[in-house]
Amino acid sequence: MTGTDCPDWRALRAVRDTRGSAESAISASTELDWLAALEHRGSCRRCADAALAAEPLLVFERLAPPNLDADEGERMRDRVAVARRLQRHQSRHFLRPGSLLRAGNLRRAGDLRRAGNLATVAAAAAFILAVTALGPRVGPRVESPANSVAVSIARFGEAGSGEPGEPEARRLATVQLGMLPLVEGATEISMLVGGESYDWVQVSFGR
Amino acid sequence: MFDVRGVAGSVVVLACALVIFGPVAAAAQPQIETLSVKAFRLAHQPAREALRLVEPMLSPAGSVELRLADNTLVLTDQPTVISRIEFLLREFDHTPLDLQLAIHLLRVTQGPPDSAHQNLLALPPGLVESLGAMASRNRYELLGAIELASKEGAEVSYEVAEKYEVRFTVGTVLLEQRLRLRSFEVLQWLGDIKSSLLQAHLNLWLGKTLVVSVADRGLAVAVTCAIATKPPAERPAAGVGEP
């Protein structure tokens, strides 16, 4: 403390900046001094400017904590749900069918060996072949993507428009846009308040 | 001798095979898509900017190559995925839009707020309300404000207030919803020396004000920057599909 009752803000700030390198007992004492100084500042007009000059970050201490309204919370939950569905959709859609079929074949073959009936195995194999060849529900033989890359170089201008999947594409793209952060490059975004007409973020850059 | 149990067993196994393999094969049918390669040359917008939008849309088997020389993205993926991305790129590659931007720069100090808010009358309404509600002990002094007409891709450098400069590059409007301001900087001049108070990429929502507060210990200054954009008046012509 300096003078009569007012704290020496610059000294407090300097000590706080070096905390962590000293012993923990000193750090704890420093924090107590700092808290006492902040309490003092609440009732001392002279200290308001001195404190702010020493620690500009104090200017934001009274900003409200994150406070999302119910609608915004609901929208965020929707975005997360859509993103999860998208993830599941992609996982399902891009499974390798070849590996599924191979695994299925091996598993069933093991079961059939345990049955010990060669005629049954032969009949089943013949039936499966027939189903594979003729059945309308079964597509052509599955090939691994590596063996079946169809190269179709196209340029803008050749692309069609009005594809039936456009609404889905727009929905996915919209979800993706909603996930873009408001600020990129800050080391810390310490406060975020969303409102109807504004978003408010407080950022720091690690200085 | 005719083995009834053997025949019955065969029938059971055949039925099981039909039940098991039928659906598996049917489920595999829509996934038989092969990989395709398609190159998209963008006519109006930088392909580099599109890259970060395209990458998350790719399947695990897909890939994208950026060719800066001819502003082209080369996609390798399943046709359904490529068609989705093509839609996104068609939206992205529009002719550069004219945009209206409003930037307010405020210095934040501690003390009783200006009850009349005389110097804040020019601020966006939502921001004024939030200042009153959120910062009962802070005083917000308007340093300066600019309203400027700009364009996608433009580099902006503006002295928004005495000793304060704002710089950024206007990015691309995405799906008429978001706008990226690249390398957005607030600079403070101290004599001949300039110092960057804020340096980041900002992803704005069109029609919504983004308020960024930053305090710099070294310079003992705290500023708040409010950036508002107006949505483009009319939808742009898409570049994709143009000859």
Side-chain angles (χ1 to χ4, degrees):
Chain A
M1 305 281 174
T2 61
T4 54
D5 292 330
C6 293
D8 183 346
W9 290 97
R10 291 194 182 282
L12 281 174
R13 157 79 192 284
V15 173
R16 276 168 56 81
D17 280 352
T18 58
R19 72 181 187 271
S21 58
E23 297 167 13
S24 59
I26 296 176
S27 295
S29 170
T30 302
E31 283 307 303
L32 286 175
D33 286 347
W34 179 254
L35 291 174
L38 289 178
E39 190 176 352
H40 166 85
R41 183 192 57 152
S43 57
C44 177
R45 290 186 60 87
R46 281 184 302 175
C47 278
D49 291 339
L52 199 59
E55 176 53 285
L57 291 174
L58 284 174
V59 82
F60 293 121
E61 67 173 343
R62 289 300 179 93
L63 293 181
N67 180 26
L68 298 178
D69 60 31
D71 287 346
E72 180 62 20
E74 192 63 31
R75 282 194 293 273
M76 287 182 70
R77 278 191 290 277
D78 284 348
R79 286 176 196 162
V80 171
V82 170
R84 284 179 176 157
R85 281 201 296 275
L86 170 64
Q87 197 172 25
R88 281 201 299 272
H89 169 77
Q90 286 183 333
S91 304
R92 210 167 42 238
H93 189 75
F94 298 115
L95 276 175
R96 301 295 177 84
S99 61
L100 267 183
L101 285 177
R102 280 195 294 275
N105 275 328
L106 288 172
R107 189 165 58 248
R108 303 307 157 204
D111 293 343
L112 295 178
R113 273 198 302 276
R114 278 192 292 277
N117 188 331
L118 190 60
T120 302
V121 173
F127 181 78
I128 292 165
L129 282 174
V131 168
T132 305
L134 304 173
R137 293 175 60 203
V138 181
R141 189 166 61 89
V142 175
E143 299 176 359
S144 71
N147 293 333
S148 58
V149 175
V151 178
S152 61
I153 301 290
R155 301 280 175 183
F156 278 3
E158 298 171 1
S161 59
E163 295 289 333
E166 280 194 3
E168 174 73 356
R170 173 174 279 275
R171 192 177 64 81
L172 294 176
T174 301
V175 169
Q176 190 185 325
L177 287 187
M179 293 177 173
L180 288 177
L182 291 167
V183 178
E184 294 176 31
T187 53
E188 189 180 355
I189 298 179
S190 53
M191 194 265 298
L192 168 63
V193 176
E196 195 61 32
S197 57
Y198 65 91
D199 289 308
W200 191 326
V201 295
Q202 180 187 331
V203 299
S204 57
F205 295 91
R207 282 187 291 204
Chain B
M1 196 170 174
F2 190 72
D3 186 354
V4 176
R5 283 188 305 175
V7 172
S10 299
V11 170
V12 169
V13 171
L14 286 172
C16 288
L18 182 61
V19 168
I20 294 168
F21 286 95
V24 170
Q29 190 169 7
Q31 302 170 7
I32 299 170
E33 290 179 307
T34 55
L35 295 185
S36 296
V37 179
K38 202 163 185 178
F40 296 95
R41 183 172 185 173
L42 277 66
H44 307 296
Q45 303 289 343
R48 188 206 309 259
E49 283 292 298
L51 188 62
R52 67 194 180 93
L53 294 174
V54 165
E55 279 179 325
M57 305 281 282
L58 293 170
S59 76
S63 63
V64 59
E65 176 195 350
L66 170 66
R67 294 203 315 229
L68 285 172
D70 54 356
N71 201 37
T72 296
L73 291 178
V74 183
L75 299 177
T76 304
D77 213 321
Q78 303 193 12
T80 51
V81 178
I82 288 184
S83 69
R84 267 193 229 128
I85 294 175
E86 185 176 333
F87 162 77
L88 188 62
L89 289 176
R90 196 182 303 129
E91 291 274 338
F92 180 86
D93 193 34
H94 50 257
T95 52
L97 292 168
D98 295 324
L99 292 164
Q100 297 286 328
L101 290 163
I103 299 175
H104 296 80
L105 190 65
L106 302 96
R107 179 164 45 214
V108 191
T109 53
Q110 205 161 36
D114 174 12
S115 57
H117 286 301
Q118 285 299 323
N119 57 356
L120 302 181
L121 291 178
L123 291 178
L127 181 57
V128 174
E129 291 166 15
S130 63
L131 287 175
M134 294 171 57
S136 60
R137 285 183 58 172
N138 293 343
R139 182 186 298 130
Y140 286 79
E141 176 193 353
L142 183 63
L143 292 171
I146 54 170
E147 288 196 19
L148 56 97
S150 189
K151 201 179 188 72
E152 284 176 310
E155 292 186 3
V156 176
S157 176
Y158 214 100
E159 187 175 319
V160 66
E162 188 180 355
K163 298 180 182 175
Y164 289 93
E165 182 182 347
V166 172
R167 291 180 186 170
F168 56 91
T169 302
V170 183
T172 305
V173 172
L174 306 173
L175 292 180
E176 302 169 41
Q177 293 180 36
R178 302 201 75 170
L179 171 66
R180 183 178 174 87
L181 300 184
R182 295 198 302 272
S183 304
F184 188 94
E185 263 193 294
V186 177
L187 299 160
Q188 183 185 22
W189 290 88
L190 299 169
D192 292 336
I193 301 170
K194 65 181 174 186
S195 180
S196 180
L197 300 176
L198 167 64
Q199 187 172 23
H201 303 300
L202 307 181
N203 295 309
L204 309 177
W205 288 99
L206 289 181
K208 200 171 184 181
T209 301
L210 175 61
V211 188
V212 182
S213 292
V214 59
D216 191 300
R217 282 179 169 173
L219 298 173
V221 64
V223 296
T224 287
C225 190
I227 309 111
T229 55
K230 288 182 183 173
E234 57 187 44
R235 203 171 184 285
V240 179
E242 290 178 355

